[in-house]
Amino acid sequence: MSTPHNNLPAPVSSFIGRAQELTEIARLLGERRLVTLIGPGGTGKTRLALRAAEQARDQFPDGVWLIELAPLKSPVLVAETIVKALRAPEMSDSAPLDRLGAFIGPRRMLLTLDNCEHLIEECARVAGALLAACPALVILATSREPLMIAGERALRVAPLSLPPADVTRDIDVARLLEHDGIRLFVERASAAEPSFRFSSVTAPAVVEICQRLDGIPLALELAAMRVRGLGVAHLAGRLDDRFRLLTGGDRGREPRQRTLLAAVDWSYDLLTERERVLMRRLGIFVGAFTLEAVEAVCLDTEAYNGADLPASAILDGLTRLVDKSLVQFDQDAGSYRLLETIRQYCLERLEAAGELKFTQRQRFAYYLQSVERGAARMGGPEQQEWMAWLEQEHDNLRAALAWAIQAPRADEAARLALGLTPFWRKRVYHNEGLRWLQQVLALDASNPLPDALRPRLYIALGSLAHMAGRFDEGTAYFEEALRLYATAEDEAGIARAQIGLGRLLFDQARPEEALEHAQIGLAIAERFGDRRLLADALMFHATVSIESGRHEGHVPVLERAIALWREVGDQDGLAACLATLGNAYQRAGDYERSRPYLAEATYLIVRRGSYADLIGALVGLHFQTASTLQTPEQALDAARVIGCMQAWERAMYIAPSPWWQSDVEKNLRERLIAMIGEERLEQGCAEGRSLTTEKFLALVDRITTPAKPDTSPAMPASPGATDTGLTPRETEVLRLVARGLTNAQVARELVVTPRTVNAHLTAIYAKLGVTARGGAIRYAMEHQLG
């Protein structure tokens, strides 16, 4: 077989990785007639296209041809350059495009049009005309953006693969080399400096370099050349100045490929003026960002510093930047992101344009407004969505808060930090939140905080110190908040500080001391009239009283608190209170009655993702299993619950609870050991520590499934209960059933599981003396409960 015609250059260095991309390109070249490799500068589109073209030579008997467009300045030269590359014969009075159509004709040929972005319109016109005139022609193009003509299949070329961010915790040199980005850097560094060795000593610095350079092949190759004079450790420490550091590339390359700065300049210079304004302002974002954020932060209706960017230009401009591969778009999350190298470039451009401070102010204003507006969603049905937004925007929120602290703008920094405190608590950023709040507090000496914010700051500090297990610090913060609130005669604040101190003491297994604070907090909350505060005070007072050995009278109190939580729409408070009510029934010896409340509390917490609030339900499940076990399998479930509690403690970054050393806990553990022995107890604990959410919920179902219909004497009627002893919750279930809702619909309405609804109906049937749904509905209609 004769060698197919081609003008592909011989490779001068090894080609590394991209196996998946090469397979996909090969498939597409067999199915499509125009394949365009798109991606930001330096990602290796040209090398990938050349490798794919080389591998496809046998499929194109009339040749594979490289058309280098980067040096061209004028669009009219595109067709002429292709003519010269193919050595098409002269034709009198014929335009270059006509000559190409006549020469290629029916030939089976592959043209590789490299670097189309700066002549994109003409490249699209020429490619479209040739594909229409030459039925066997296939074109493989490389560009920062698609050609946007019929039949095109764009394939985005991503940076090279890298290990996850935390890989340096457990270095495995051999496995690191499975990532193309690491392998490219190591091979090029070894070529530049033969004494370089990739080992467990150098691997952390190599990983850091590759990650900070986003796996961009050009950046990695330029960085590898610097190993010769710096070594990897010093190189990693200098990447903040990457555009001045990463120079001196291969002199045989195009000028734009010899330095990292030139490669990015090439893309930036091709943008329109408004696209450049938007592009550099996007550098203010860290990590992911949304369209809403871009519209708020980058908008410039007054043409600050002469940079006009109206609202009407932002969406189209952002879309074009995505098309040009300068901005990454995540279809699943609906968010945008810049590669860190691009972001650093944009920040330098932003500062050079004199727009950095303006954009920083815009960013802070947007995120402060968003956080304060979103505060009302905490505890309610939209909390999960709000928490997801906060998690996605956390890097930007950190940057905004850091700017306010450095400004310094103490009151605004305090407002943002206070707005983020519930998120930090629920998503276990306790120590980080403490550091931020402490930095804000430090501003108070030179930039006094408003009197209304200062005690709130101490309450937030006390709460996070508590969750982090730093009890002495937490006590000091709560006591200072109490002093400030007392000075201001702020009763609601005093109550919150008292409850905070009480909770801190309670978690140190000091219930009698905690009870004093709980009583003061409850007395004030009763007078003050804030429903949310009162619900919290009622719930905490009942919790402490129960653990102090006072087991009577808590059910109606907790049902009152549950009603208040429902009124204010706080489902986190509701879940915690349901768990406490289940605990109250347990301590009164009614373990059957406790089951549906524990199930409902657990499912509500898991469904909402409020895992920081799970401990109350776990404690209830722990007592339920350990106090009622009758078989070895039940004892193993009890051990699994202990394991879940241990895993929760570890996830919260706090030391083991002092409650593990209480007499009650020791007695429960002795019961377990007596039934299954220490070895199986530890086995069950280990299983519990590693349970998935699905298996954890299966464990909860086993524990909370009613053992038998509830035939115990009805508890004393509480406000809102019928004379049959139905609780308010059971009455609510009965009302919904009487309205014709199915069990599944009732479960959705009350945000519980169908199993919990079944448990409530079983109790309702027993109390009403009926055996089926019809009898319960008839009772509801007779008593006007429908």
Side-chain angles (χ1 to χ4, degrees), residues 730 733-734 737 743 756-766 773 776:
E730 291 164 350
V733 170
L734 183 55
V737 169
N743 286 12
T756 299
V757 174
N758 288 335
H760 282 308
L761 285 174
T762 300
I764 290 168
Y765 295 163
R773 196 182 192 87

Side-chain angles (χ1 to χ4, degrees), residues 305-327:
N305 206 34
D308 176 33
L309 193 63
S312 59
I314 290 180
L315 176 57
D316 287 344
L318 187 59
T319 303
R320 286 195 296 272
L321 292 175
V322 171
D323 288 341
K324 296 173 189 293
S325 303
L326 289 167
V327 176

Side-chain angles (χ1 to χ4, degrees), residues 589-669:
D590 194 343
Y591 293 99
E592 286 304 307
R593 191 74 63 86
S594 73
R595 293 181 193 270
Y597 295 106
L598 294 177
E600 185 175 351
T602 306
Y603 267 88
L604 187 53
I605 291 167
V606 171
R607 177 178 174 177
R608 292 170 58 75
S610 300
Y611 293 101
D613 301 321
L614 189 60
I615 190 60
L618 287 173
V619 169
L621 293 168
H622 173 50
F623 276 100
Q624 186 76 22
T625 53
S627 301
T628 61
L629 57 90
Q630 296 178 346
T631 66
E633 186 53 41
Q634 289 175 326
L636 272 175
D637 275 348
R640 292 178 184 117
V641 173
I642 292 174
C644 291
M645 295 173 73
Q646 292 170 338
W648 183 90
E649 285 185 338
R650 293 176 184 179
M652 295 297 107
Y653 303 112
I654 61 176
S657 170
W659 284 104
W660 291 115
Q661 303 305 317
S662 67
D663 291 338
V664 172
E665 188 58 41
K666 290 177 181 177
N667 290 337
L668 291 175
R669 187 178 182 88

